[in-house]
Amino acid sequence: METLLEIKDLWVEIEGRKVLKGVSLKIPVGQTHIIFGRNGSGKTSLLMSIMGFPAYKVLHGKIIFKGEDITQLPPYERAKRGIGIMFQRPPTIRGVKLREILKLCSKENGVKIEELARSFTFEKFLDREINKGFSGGEIKKSELLQLMIQNPDLVLLDEPESGVDLENIHLIGQMIKKLLQKETHRPRTKSGLIITHTGFILQYVTADLGYVIMDGEIYCEGNPLEIFEAIQKYGYEGCKNCLKRCGI
Amino acid sequence: METIDIKEFKSAKEAKLPQSLEELSIEERERLKFLGVDESLKRGGEYIQIDAKPFICKKREAKGLEMLPITEALKKYDWISDYFWKLVNPEKDEFTKAVAEDLDDGYFIRVLPGHKLVYPVQTCLYIRTDKVAQKVHNIVIVEEGAELNLITSCSVHPHLSSAFHIGISEFYVKRGGTLTFSMLHVWDKRTYVRPRTGVLIEEGGTYISTYVSLFPVKSIQTAPVCRLVGPNAKASFISIIANHPDSHIDIGGEIRLEAEETATEITSRVVVYGGENIARGKIVAKAPKVKGHLECQGLMLSDEGVMRAIPELDSHFYDVELTHEAAVGKIAREEVEYLMARGLTEEEATSLIVKGFLRVKIEGIPPELQKQIDKTLELAKLGF
C-alpha cells in the first residue's frame, strides 16, 4: 500500500526540552491511525512537528510526505501539500470572521461554504469572530468546517472529543467520518492521525492502527480497539507494566 | 514633530484648475474613485476642491441640504460671521494664521432643521500641483433635529515631490441633530497635514468622527476640540491608523463635557510599521453626571517605530465616570501559526490579523460607509 506519511526516527525539542525521542511511523494512503497517550506524553508535540511549527525544533530524523522530505518546510507549505490540523485550543483572532478564514482555505465560491455550514447547523457562526466565545463543541465544529473546506489528504486531529458535550459528540464524529471518507466505499484517499487521551473518539470513528506513546517514545502498536480496551481496564500504568514484562 | 516652513510652499491659487475630470490621469481618477468620488455611488451632494478652487459643488436629490464653496457662502450670508472662526482661534498657530490671511476655499454645508439626509454627502480636498500649500476652511451646520453623514476624502496627486494641506473645520450640531463625519485619507510620504478642528454639540446632539489613514504620510498633527454644551449630547472619536516608516502621526483630541448627562468615547487603533505615532486623548469633565471613556490600542510590527499613548482625564466634579485603557503590544505568534496551518504565508497571516485588529465596529454609521472603510482596509497593504 502506498505510504502517505512516513516519520523516521524523529527527535524534537521545545525550549530545550526533548519531547520526541526517536518516533517512527508510517501511514498508508486511506488509513487512519490513532495514538493513545497521557497528557505530556508527546502526543501534541508529534502533531505540531508534523505540521511544522517552528517552536518544535527537529534535532534528528525526517518527515516524508508523499515521498517528499518536508522536515524543513514552513507550515503553510505543508498545508499546501495536503496536511491539515484540527487544533485543540485554537486562538481567537480579533476582528477576523470564520467566513473569511473559510474563504482563504478554499478556492471554491461562497455557496459551498454556506451550504456546508448549514448542513452542520453552523451557519450562524460564519460571521462571528473566529473562536471568540465558542463553546468546546463549537470550536470543534469550526475546526472541522475549516478542514473540510481545506480538504487535506492527511488530517491531524488533536483530542477531537475533548470539551465536547454528549449532544455534540455524535455530530463531531459524523464530521470526522466525512472528512476521512469513512462513509464512502474504498479505496479511500484520505488519511488521518488522531491523538487522544481518553480514546472515546473510537466509539464514533474507526481506526486502522493504534499506538501508545509515553515520554516521547512509541512503545506499542496494534489493533486500536484492543489497545483502547486495555487502557480502559488497566490505565496507562498497565502499559508500563506490560512493557516491564516485555523487558523494554 | 519637525517644524514646517510654510514659506517653502507656493500658494495653491497659482495652480491651474482642470476643465473636467477627463483631464486627470487614469491613475488620479482611480485614486479619487477609491476615495468615494464615484458617480455610481448614491450621494446627497458632492464637493470636490482641486488645489485652491472648487471643481465640483453640486447637490443631488437632497431636500434640506445647502452646499456652497465657503468663499461664496461668506458673500451670500451675513450671519455666517456667527460661525466663522468661532470654534477655532485664527491666532492659534502659524497654520491657522496662514489660512486666516490667505484662504483658498472650502465647503459650507448646512442641513436645514428636521431634515435627515438619506445619502451621505461626499467632499474631497485634492492637491494636484507640486509644492503647494492648500488652505481650506470648512463650516458644517446641522440644524435642530437634522441628520448628516459627511464623508471627506483627502488626497494628493500620486507623483508630487511635496504638498501641504491645512484645513480649518468648524462643525455645529444643533439641538437633537446628528453628524457623522468620516475622513478617509490617502496622503503620500511627502505630504504634510495640519487639520485644525472645532466642534460644538448642543442638547441631545450626536457627533461621530471616524478618521482612517492607512497609507504613508510625511506628517499629520491634529487635536480637534469638541465641546458638548447641552445635556445628553454625545461625541465619539474613532481613529484607525497605520503608521508607516518615516511617517509622523500625532493625533489627539480634547472633548469637553460641559453639560450634565453628556458622554464621550475616544477609540484609537494604531498599527506601527515604523515612524512615530502619538495617540493622545483628553476628556475634561466640566459638569457633573458625565461619562467618558478613552481606549487606545497599538500593535507594534517593528522595532524601528515608536508608539506613544497619552491618555488624559480631567475632572472638576466628583459625580463623573471617566475611564481609560491603553495597550501596546505585538502580534500573538500562535495566531500567525494558526493561519499558517491553514495555508497562509506568514505575510498573509500577519496582514489578516492586522486587518482584524483595525476593524473597529463603529456604532451609528451607515452600513455603506462601514463597507467603504472595510474596502479601504482590504486595499491597504497591511503586511510587513
Side-chain angles (χ1 to χ4, degrees):
Chain A
M1 208 178 291
E2 194 190 339
T3 302
L4 184 72
L5 177 79
E6 182 175 7
I7 295 174
K8 287 182 184 172
D9 193 23
L10 192 67
W11 291 71
V12 170
E13 70 167 27
I14 179 163
E15 291 167 356
R17 191 168 51 89
K18 286 191 181 65
V19 287
L20 295 181
K21 301 168 185 170
V23 170
S24 296
L25 58 83
K26 256 188 203 181
I27 304 179
V29 171
Q31 284 203 5
T32 298
H33 291 189
I34 186 161
I35 301 181
F36 301 90
R38 277 182 170 155
N39 290 334
S41 59
K43 303 188 301 292
T44 298
S45 297
L46 178 59
L47 289 202
M48 296 295 158
S49 306
I50 298 172
M51 200 65 234
F53 293 114
Y56 296 83
K57 200 174 154 200
V58 175
L59 301 172
H60 180 80
K62 277 181 183 169
I63 303 168
I64 316 277
F65 184 67
K66 296 181 182 172
E68 181 190 7
D69 183 350
I70 60 162
T71 319
Q72 301 305 326
L73 291 182
Y76 65 90
E77 289 290 355
R78 301 185 195 208
K80 279 177 189 160
R81 280 161 173 75
I83 304 180
I85 185 165
M86 175 192 192
F87 287 83
Q88 194 188 351
R89 289 186 203 90
T92 297
I93 306 178
R94 174 165 45 171
V96 176
K97 292 172 186 167
L98 172 61
R99 185 192 297 277
E100 272 176 281
I101 294 184
L102 293 178
K103 274 188 187 165
L104 290 167
C105 289
S106 115
K107 291 173 190 75
E108 308 284 339
N109 57 29
V111 181
K112 200 181 164 190
I113 291 174
E114 290 282 347
E115 264 178 35
L116 200 61
R118 211 172 297 127
S119 68
F120 297 107
T121 57
F122 208 59
E123 69 276 16
K124 282 185 190 152
F125 289 80
L126 288 175
D127 290 312
R128 287 210 8 205
E129 266 178 40
I130 188 147
N131 301 323
K132 190 178 176 186
F134 285 19
S135 70
E138 287 157 0
I139 281 178
K140 304 295 179 201
K141 282 189 200 174
S142 154
E143 289 290 298
L144 288 167
L145 205 55
Q146 290 174 60
L147 283 173
M148 279 179 182
I149 285 167
Q150 203 181 337
N151 195 22
D153 296 320
L154 174 67
V155 186
L156 308 173
L157 301 162
D158 188 354
E159 305 272 7
E161 75 277 35
S162 75
V164 183
D165 54 35
L166 280 173
E167 236 170 87
N168 278 306
I169 186 82
H170 183 70
L171 183 60
I172 303 281
Q174 292 301 318
M175 289 174 90
I176 294 173
K177 275 187 191 170
K178 192 173 166 158
L179 200 56
L180 294 171
Q181 299 172 326
K182 296 288 186 194
E183 289 157 331
T184 57
H185 297 291
R186 287 169 193 267
R188 292 183 188 127
T189 56
K190 304 290 181 189
S191 306
L193 181 59
I194 303 174
I195 61 172
T196 178
H197 168 61
T198 64
F200 290 124
I201 192 66
L202 277 178
Q203 294 173 2
Y204 302 91
V205 182
T206 58
D208 300 282
L209 189 64
Y211 308 86
V212 176
I213 189 169
M214 283 192 284
D215 194 25
E217 286 180 76
I218 286 179
Y219 281 101
C220 174
E221 71 175 70
N223 182 302
L225 282 173
E226 284 176 13
I227 295 178
F228 177 48
E229 278 168 17
I231 292 170
Q232 271 190 312
K233 211 166 173 182
Y234 307 111
Y236 287 102
E237 280 305 312
C239 292
K240 272 190 178 173
N241 296 335
C242 172
L243 292 174
K244 272 183 206 157
R245 278 200 304 278
C246 300
I248 300 171
Chain B
M1 192 69 54
E2 83 278 47
T3 50
I4 314 165
D5 186 359
I6 196 165
K7 291 186 203 81
E8 282 181 14
F9 294 86
K10 295 183 287 191
S11 165
K13 291 191 180 71
E14 292 172 25
K16 191 173 153 278
L17 189 69
Q19 297 302 305
S20 70
L21 267 178
E22 279 65 48
E23 236 178 90
L24 273 56
S25 69
I26 293 171
E27 199 181 2
E28 287 182 278
R29 273 182 275 164
E30 282 297 316
R31 179 172 280 202
L32 294 179
K33 193 173 174 184
F34 166 64
L35 285 163
V37 181
D38 184 346
E39 280 290 313
S40 66
L41 295 174
K42 288 181 173 162
R43 296 287 189 239
E46 210 172 12
Y47 174 89
I48 303 171
Q49 179 171 328
I50 298 182
D51 297 321
K53 299 182 192 82
F55 176 66
I56 294 174
C57 180
K58 67 176 178 197
K59 285 198 296 174
R60 294 199 202 159
E61 41 180 321
K63 277 188 188 158
L65 171 68
E66 265 190 274
M67 276 184 85
L68 289 170
I70 193 81
T71 48
E72 279 183 38
L74 286 166
K75 285 178 206 153
K76 189 173 174 185
Y77 299 121
D78 290 341
W79 50 259
I80 207 167
S81 56
D82 296 340
Y83 298 91
F84 195 64
W85 290 115
K86 292 298 181 228
L87 300 179
V88 177
N89 182 352
E91 297 297 320
K92 181 183 160 64
D93 57 30
E94 57 184 310
F95 310 116
T96 53
K97 276 182 201 161
V99 179
E101 282 163 14
D102 179 31
L103 171 67
D104 289 335
D105 218 314
Y107 53 81
F108 167 78
I109 296 171
R110 179 175 174 229
V111 185
L112 300 179
H115 284 273
K116 297 177 195 279
L117 298 196
V118 180
Y119 300 116
V121 170
Q122 171 82 50
T123 66
C124 173
L125 303 163
Y126 182 59
I127 303 178
R128 189 162 188 256
T129 306
D130 202 17
K131 296 190 179 69
V132 302
Q134 181 184 53
K135 285 168 271 181
V136 177
H137 195 137
N138 309 311
I139 288 183
V140 175
I141 304 168
V142 174
E143 298 283 2
E144 285 193 10
E147 269 184 39
L148 171 65
N149 288 308
L150 179 61
I151 305 171
T152 291
S153 314
C154 291
S155 195
V156 291
H157 186 288
H159 305 292
L160 298 186
S161 67
S162 70
F164 188 13
H165 169 90
I166 311 172
I168 313 297
S169 295
E170 296 180 287
F171 295 161
Y172 298 84
V173 181
K174 302 283 181 76
R175 185 195 287 241
T178 298
L179 172 60
T180 65
F181 178 56
S182 309
M183 291 155 278
L184 301 173
H185 289 183
V186 178
W187 299 110
D188 181 274
K189 60 184 178 198
R190 294 166 292 253
T191 317
Y192 298 87
V193 187
R194 293 291 180 273
R196 298 291 180 258
T197 304
V199 184
L200 189 80
I201 312 167
E202 294 183 0
E203 183 179 349
T206 302
Y207 177 69
I208 302 167
S209 160
T210 308
Y211 184 73
V212 182
S213 177
L214 301 174
F215 296 85
V217 62
K218 181 74 186 166
S219 83
I220 300 177
Q221 187 272 316
T222 184
V225 175
C226 177
R227 297 176 55 205
L228 284 72
V229 296
N232 292 308
K234 289 184 178 62
S236 308
F237 283 78
I238 299 114
S239 40
I240 300 169
I241 310 289
N243 206 108
H244 294 270
D246 301 321
S247 289
H248 294 265
I249 301 180
D250 180 344
I251 294 184
E254 183 174 327
I255 321 294
R256 297 182 190 155
L257 306 170
E258 298 179 21
E260 286 189 13
E261 310 286 346
T262 53
T264 188
E265 252 181 71
I266 303 177
T267 307
S268 107
R269 292 266 200 285
V270 183
V271 176
V272 179
Y273 299 92
E276 183 181 20
N277 187 281
I278 307 174
R280 302 172 201 267
K282 183 175 180 181
I283 302 175
V284 186
K286 287 267 190 185
K289 298 184 172 56
V290 300
K291 275 187 192 175
H293 180 67
L294 204 154
E295 183 199 307
C296 172
Q297 297 198 25
L299 195 59
M300 298 293 293
L301 291 192
S302 135
D303 289 337
E304 304 299 311
V306 177
M307 157 115 210
R308 294 196 175 89
I310 310 173
E312 214 180 324
L313 305 174
D314 279 15
S315 183
H316 299 257
F317 290 85
Y318 83 93
D319 186 11
V320 301
E321 273 179 51
L322 299 186
T323 51
H324 78 69
E325 53 179 305
V328 179
K330 62 176 181 181
I331 286 187
R333 193 68 211 157
E334 61 163 353
E335 292 177 25
V336 176
E337 289 182 352
Y338 181 60
L339 295 171
M340 281 169 82
R342 299 286 179 250
L344 273 67
T345 62
E346 186 159 5
E347 194 174 322
E348 288 166 339
T350 304
S351 168
L352 183 63
I353 294 164
V354 169
K355 241 182 265 171
F357 170 78
L358 292 176
R359 203 176 276 154
V360 185
K361 179 88 185 89
I362 305 161
E363 295 296 330
I365 66 166
E368 60 179 64
L369 182 57
Q370 180 76 52
K371 267 187 214 157
Q372 198 172 332
I373 293 170
D374 289 346
K375 198 175 109 190
T376 312
L377 280 170
E378 287 305 319
L379 291 172
K381 289 190 181 91
L382 296 171
F384 281 111

